[in-house]
Amino acid sequence: MDLTKIPQIKHTDSNNFFLLSGPCAIEGEAMALRIAEHIVEVTDELKIPYVFKGSFKKANRSRLDSFTGIGDEKALKILRKVSETFNIPTVTDIHTEQDAAMAAAYVDVLQIPAFLARQTDLVVAAAETGKTVNIKKGQFMSPESMKHAVNKVTETGNDKAIITDRGTMFGYQDMIVDFRGIPTMKQYAPVVLDVTHSLQQPNQSAGVTGGRPALIGTMARAGIAAGVDGLFIETHFDCANAKSDGANMLDLGLLKKLLTDLVALRAVLNQF
């Protein structure tokens, strides 16, 4: 896929990795604009192609009483406002075929959650909107099996597919990234490493997902060294009180230093 096919994406000639980043869930307009403003400032300075990420709805929570969203249309309108305010593309998750057409009216990239990566009707519905489709590799899927997920997009006539690796289940409460899969999946589509979700500790007894955010830098550097095309990093200015995935998100104040280091690492690797 040619990254320039994503509307409004900038810095595509910088030879940098691209970045999908933002909060796990859209909690309100002010928080979304605050996070986007900071990331746009940093990525413009570092010449990183950037797509703002925010889920308009969280349909895959552990418990019935978990936060799922502020309302579909309200959250999607906030994503549109972020895009219009900062002239940047946006990405959001979809969970049903009906979500595809609805979300496509507001965002530039439709994301297929990892648990739904094999749902043919969902993937095809996303592809048929003509939007870029980011398919997260299922925690239960091999790198080789992602060829077929990408084919579901391309066989609709849509050549805009991305694969995101978010780790593989290791035991019952941990995730492991097998970096051997990166070059395999790059044969099928650009590959993104989901840094923060790869550090989740799901299926906790309390029904609230844990995480290991102290390892975000380690995981991101490993991804760049392994040759990923992009990084996915969820971030928030108040992780402790975030309504979704606060346990594995990066504090917004730490993002600039991390990205600065990663750009420097990428520059070294570009010499080989």
Side-chain angles (χ1 to χ4, degrees):
M1 177 199 159
D2 180 356
L3 201 63
T4 62
K5 292 184 177 181
I6 300 177
Q8 301 189 93
I9 196 161
K10 304 176 180 67
H11 312 304
T12 55
D13 59 351
S14 65
N15 208 18
N16 257 328
F17 56 90
F18 64 96
L19 178 69
L20 283 67
S21 186
C24 179
I26 298 297
E27 302 168 11
E29 182 177 302
M31 64 82 70
L33 291 171
R34 176 177 172 181
I35 293 170
E37 181 177 29
H38 182 80
I39 304 176
V40 167
E41 180 181 326
V42 172
T43 53
D44 279 348
E45 180 178 336
L46 296 174
K47 302 294 187 284
I48 299 172
Y50 172 53
V51 181
F52 176 84
K53 184 268 168 183
S55 297
F56 78 93
K57 174 171 60 179
K58 299 301 296 182
N60 51 348
R61 304 305 306 275
S62 297
R63 296 182 353 189
L64 188 61
D65 60 352
S66 296
F67 173 81
T68 58
I70 59 174
D72 294 356
E73 188 175 13
K74 182 177 181 180
L76 287 167
K77 285 182 176 179
I78 290 171
L79 284 163
R80 176 188 281 168
K81 182 161 186 178
V82 167
S83 179
E84 293 174 346
T85 300
F86 300 107
N87 298 311
I88 54 173
T90 55
V91 54
T92 198
D93 318 71
I94 59 172
H95 301 87
T96 69
E97 296 95 280
Q98 292 74 25
D99 283 350
M102 176 176 65
Y106 294 90
V107 303
D108 304 290
V109 181
L110 299 178
Q111 182 166 284
I112 308 298
F115 287 129
L116 300 177
R118 285 178 57 99
Q119 296 297 106
T120 299
D121 288 348
L122 177 62
V123 175
V124 170
E128 287 178 341
T129 68
K131 300 289 184 175
T132 299
V133 181
N134 180 29
I135 311 172
K136 287 200 169 184
K137 184 179 80 66
Q139 298 92 324
F140 44 86
M141 295 172 69
S142 70
E144 291 78 8
S145 66
M146 290 305 294
K147 176 180 180 179
H148 306 296
V150 170
N151 285 346
K152 291 176 184 178
V153 176
T154 58
E155 287 172 10
T156 69
N158 184 334
D159 63 351
K160 296 177 287 186
I162 298 171
I163 299 171
T164 293
D165 193 342
R166 52 131 324 137
T168 300
M169 287 302 299
F170 186 76
Y172 290 103
Q173 295 177 328
D174 209 356
M175 307 290 297
I176 293 292
V177 174
D178 182 354
F179 288 96
R180 297 174 301 176
I182 301 300
T184 297
M185 292 186 290
K186 286 184 69 169
Q187 298 175 68
Y188 317 138
V191 175
V192 174
L193 176 62
D194 184 340
V195 176
T196 46
H197 285 106
S198 295
L199 294 167
Q200 275 188 339
Q201 294 178 309
N203 303 324
Q204 300 296 309
S205 59
V208 178
T209 297
R212 303 184 68 186
L215 294 175
I216 288 173
T218 299
M219 186 66 70
R221 288 191 294 273
I224 294 297
V228 297
D229 301 290
L231 295 175
F232 181 109
I233 300 174
E234 288 188 342
T235 183
H236 200 292
F237 51 81
D238 187 8
C239 297
N241 292 301
K243 295 184 182 297
S244 179
D245 278 358
N248 55 270
M249 279 199 278
L250 178 70
D251 185 283
L252 187 64
L254 302 176
L255 184 67
K256 182 174 182 179
K257 174 63 166 62
L258 174 62
L259 292 178
T260 300
D261 291 347
L262 296 174
V263 166
L265 178 58
R266 174 66 175 247
V268 171
L269 293 172
N270 284 343
Q271 298 176 25
F272 293 94

